[in-house]
Amino acid sequence: EETLLKFPTDFPIKIMGERRDDFAQTMVELVLRHAPDFRAETVEMRVYSRGNYLSVTCVVRATSKAQLDALYHEITAHPWVKMAL
């Protein structure tokens, strides 16, 4: 499949969802399934909308479009996730 990205590349993924105590940890676990070299200590978090929503940004070392597609598919299928960019 065609893509404008050159692999490998550092690729930021912003995941937004319900603010829960284990939201960030759960999203990190999903990311690690697809990018085992991801460093969890680099996660950036931000609270939105009166504290009801949380965004988690993870920068992964992407090695292929297929890897990113699989990661986005799993993240967006999670019931706590409202959006992933």
Side-chain angles (χ1 to χ4, degrees):
E1 294 181 36
E2 285 190 34
T3 180
L4 297 175
L5 297 173
K6 302 284 185 197
F7 295 101
T9 188
D10 291 335
F11 192 87
I13 299 171
K14 186 172 190 174
I15 308 163
M16 292 168 271
E18 301 172 12
R19 185 173 181 197
R20 296 172 170 254
D21 290 339
D22 53 350
F23 181 79
Q25 181 60 38
T26 300
M27 295 305 111
V28 166
E29 290 170 5
L30 292 179
V31 169
L32 284 168
R33 286 187 210 165
H34 299 274
D37 59 344
F38 174 68
R39 293 181 23 236
E41 66 272 12
T42 64
V43 169
E44 293 181 16
M45 293 185 285
R46 184 170 175 190
V47 177
Y48 289 95
S49 189
R50 298 186 199 127
N52 295 324
Y53 294 94
L54 178 68
S55 77
V56 177
T57 302
C58 303
V59 179
V60 299
R61 187 71 174 161
T63 57
S64 70
K65 183 178 183 310
Q67 176 197 29
L68 289 176
D69 289 347
L71 176 55
Y72 270 100
H73 179 75
E74 186 167 3
I75 288 170
T76 58
H78 196 284
W80 298 346
V81 174
K82 300 299 181 193
M83 181 187 319
L85 305 170

